[in-house]
């Protein structure tokens, strides 16, 4: 049987870690990426096709030629504040492109569609840890675009029988221990790489957004999940659907969080460097606490975390930051 898996956005941070694991598990990932944010160097040992999901004709011929058995859909814009100032950019790339991809997936009867969703669909949560049944009420167009794709998935499932798993990522972090791939966003907006780049001296200081949140130390709390564990969840979701398991929407987090100050202190300890910082106003749209209720991913997919350890997360990110290849 064919083991071809189409991976959109496979040259990006999370996608590239999943591609590496797919290869290790004997699959044949084909990366489709327009390289607007992805890196050619991040695609290790898999075929990379440069193309854009907004191009329907291209997508049609791609599916006809390759006949993938499954699709993993990572390609999307991800900068929340930019989605507020330029929502149509987000709806065009994150929605229209996904409509095209879903059409091609349905026409070609793929056996599995795995979608990169986000905790951003919950908006400001009414309860934490957040269960999957929590109301979906995003507070920015990025989160809205993810929630709308989730609606499209359930509609496509009901109408055409498309088997899907939607994975709501909490805070992906860390890097593959090989040091070959890691997080490389431009511009970088995420906490851990910004702290480490400040430790290295690439940045003068770190700006801490808000110390007056209703948390123990006044800074936001996040559920950081190591990118290799997240990659493992994708393989389990794929195998679940290939074995005719039911379609699912699942949180991806460890079920406990760390505050921004705790992460800052741990980053100083691991890097053995000073991390100068300045306290700033709250960043608009940041919920105080985002922690997943994480039982379902274990119950439905049998997920067993291997990297549930902030030290390990920061150590792997630090090794990557010290020897970045792209
Ligand atoms: N932070 C700072 N200074 C910075 C960057 C971040 O203090 O320079 C703080 C933020 O205010 C927040 C925490 O660090 O409290 C984590 O911020 P990140 O930007 O690393 O991550 P977010 O929790 O904002 O974002 C993540 C995903 C988004 C997703 C969002 C909500 O990266 O894609 O969760 O689910 F939309």
């Amino acid at each position: 049987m064919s083991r071809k898996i189409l991976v959109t956005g496979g040259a990006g941070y999370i996608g590239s870690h999943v591609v590496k694991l797919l290869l290790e598990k004997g699959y044949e990932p084909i990366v489709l990426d327009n390289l607007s944010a992805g890196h050619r160097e991040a695609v290790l040992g898999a075929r990379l096709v440069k193309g854009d999901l907004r191009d329907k004709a291209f997508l049609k011929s791609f599916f006809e030629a390759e006949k993938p058995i499954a699709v993993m859909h990572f390609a999307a814009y991800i900068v929340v504040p930019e989605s507020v100032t330029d929502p149509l950019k987000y709806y065009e790339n994150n929605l229209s492109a996904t409509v095209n991809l879903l059409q091609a997936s349905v026409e070609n009867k793929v056996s599995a569609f795995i979608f990169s969703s986000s905790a951003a669909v919950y908006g400001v949560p009414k309860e934490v840890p957040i269960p999957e049944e929590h109301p979906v009420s995003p507070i920015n167009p990025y989160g809205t675009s993810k929630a709308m794709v989730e609606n499209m998935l359930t509609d496509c499932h009901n109408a055409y029988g498309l088997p899907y798993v939607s994975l709501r990522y909490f805070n992906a972090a860390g890097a593959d221990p090989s040091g070959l791939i890691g997080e490389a966003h431009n511009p970088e907006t995420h906490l851990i790489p910004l702290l480490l780049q400040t430790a290295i001296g690439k940045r003068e200081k770190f700006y801490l957004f808000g110390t007056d949140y209703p948390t123990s130390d006044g800074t936001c709390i996040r559920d950081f999940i190591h990118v290799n564990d997240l990659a493992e969840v994708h393989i389990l979701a794929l195998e679940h659907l290939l074995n005719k398991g039911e379609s699912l929407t699942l949180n991806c987090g460890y079920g406990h969080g760390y505050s921004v100050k705790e992460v800052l202190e741990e980053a100083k300890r691991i890097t053995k460097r000073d991390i100068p910082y300045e306290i700033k106003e709250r960043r608009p749209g940041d919920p105080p606490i985002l922690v997943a209720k994480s039982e379902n991913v274990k119950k439905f997919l049998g997920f067993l975390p291997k990297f549930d350890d902030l030290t390990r997360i920061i150590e792997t990110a630090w090794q990557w930051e010290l020897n970045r290849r792209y």
Side-chain angles (χ1 to χ4, degrees):
M1 198 180 92
S2 164
R3 306 268 284 174
K4 269 189 195 175
I5 316 291
L6 166 58
V7 186
T8 78
Y13 171 44
I14 300 170
S16 61
H17 285 75
V18 174
V19 166
K20 183 168 182 282
L21 193 56
L22 281 167
L23 285 167
E24 286 164 13
K25 301 271 181 189
Y27 289 97
E28 188 188 335
I30 306 173
V31 173
L32 180 54
D33 201 300
N34 65 10
L35 297 178
S36 68
H39 306 269
R40 200 175 280 282
E41 305 91 318
V43 181
L44 301 174
R47 197 141 51 89
L48 168 64
V49 177
K50 191 175 173 207
D52 198 299
L53 297 173
R54 288 166 288 195
D55 182 346
K56 268 188 155 182
F58 160 77
L59 210 49
K60 191 169 157 56
S61 57
F62 176 89
F63 269 82
E64 275 166 12
E66 303 293 350
K67 299 187 172 48
I69 57 162
V71 175
M72 292 191 176
H73 182 32
F74 297 92
Y77 291 144
I78 61 161
V79 181
V80 172
E82 185 190 38
S83 79
V84 177
T85 53
D86 196 357
L88 290 176
K89 177 175 174 179
Y90 278 67
Y91 292 127
E92 190 199 25
N93 193 43
N94 296 5
L95 277 186
S96 305
T98 306
V99 172
N100 294 343
L101 183 64
L102 282 169
Q103 271 169 344
S105 301
V106 167
E107 270 164 30
N108 289 275
K109 298 191 171 52
V110 300
S111 302
F113 192 100
I114 318 278
F115 175 59
S116 301
S117 189
S118 167
V121 301
Y122 297 118
V124 180
K126 292 181 184 61
E127 73 178 289
V128 277
I130 312 170
E132 283 90 349
E133 306 75 50
H134 184 285
V136 167
S137 52
I139 53 166
N140 51 63
Y142 166 75
T144 305
S145 76
K146 293 290 175 184
M148 287 165 88
V149 171
E150 288 198 346
N151 287 337
M152 296 202 287
L153 288 171
T154 47
D155 291 343
C156 287
H157 176 70
N158 294 336
Y160 317 116
L162 177 77
Y164 75 87
V165 173
S166 181
L167 297 174
R168 292 177 175 164
Y169 307 158
F170 281 65
N171 289 61
D176 189 72
S178 69
L180 297 172
I181 52 177
E183 189 164 7
H185 295 115
N186 187 19
E188 189 52 79
T189 61
H190 295 100
L191 175 62
I192 292 176
L194 289 174
L195 286 170
L196 299 179
Q197 288 168 15
T198 309
I200 269 183
K202 265 192 201 164
R203 294 172 192 270
E204 214 174 293
K205 60 173 118 160
F206 169 75
Y207 297 101
L208 201 174
F209 299 134
T211 51
D212 57 351
Y213 283 97
T215 58
S216 51
D217 66 17
T219 65
C220 289
I221 293 176
R222 291 292 180 270
D223 186 339
F224 297 92
I225 175 167
H226 193 284
V227 64
N228 283 44
D229 272 338
L230 201 48
E232 180 79 33
V233 173
H234 287 75
I235 308 290
L236 293 170
L238 173 68
E239 291 178 346
H240 169 82
L241 291 178
L242 294 180
N243 291 324
K244 307 280 177 230
E246 61 182 315
S247 291
L248 298 166
T249 297
L250 296 170
N251 284 340
C252 295
Y254 291 139
H256 59 88
Y258 296 93
S259 75
V260 173
K261 267 195 185 152
E262 284 171 331
V263 177
L264 169 71
E265 287 308 317
E266 188 64 4
K268 283 205 294 206
R269 194 183 69 79
I270 288 167
T271 61
K272 302 189 178 64
R273 313 223 183 154
D274 186 30
I275 302 181
Y277 71 96
E278 186 181 323
I279 294 169
K280 295 288 234 192
E281 292 289 288
R282 292 181 178 195
R283 191 171 67 177
D286 276 345
I289 307 179
L290 280 177
V291 171
K293 195 159 189 309
S294 60
E295 284 76 15
N296 281 350
V297 67
K298 296 174 183 152
K299 178 173 146 197
F300 287 97
L301 300 183
F303 169 55
L304 289 173
K306 295 195 187 86
F307 293 85
D308 180 0
D309 174 2
L310 184 65
T311 304
R312 195 82 199 284
I313 289 174
I314 299 179
E315 273 172 0
T316 54
W318 180 232
Q319 282 317 307
W320 164 251
E321 213 53 69
L322 286 171
N323 299 291
R324 265 177 70 157
R325 296 166 166 243
Y326 49 88

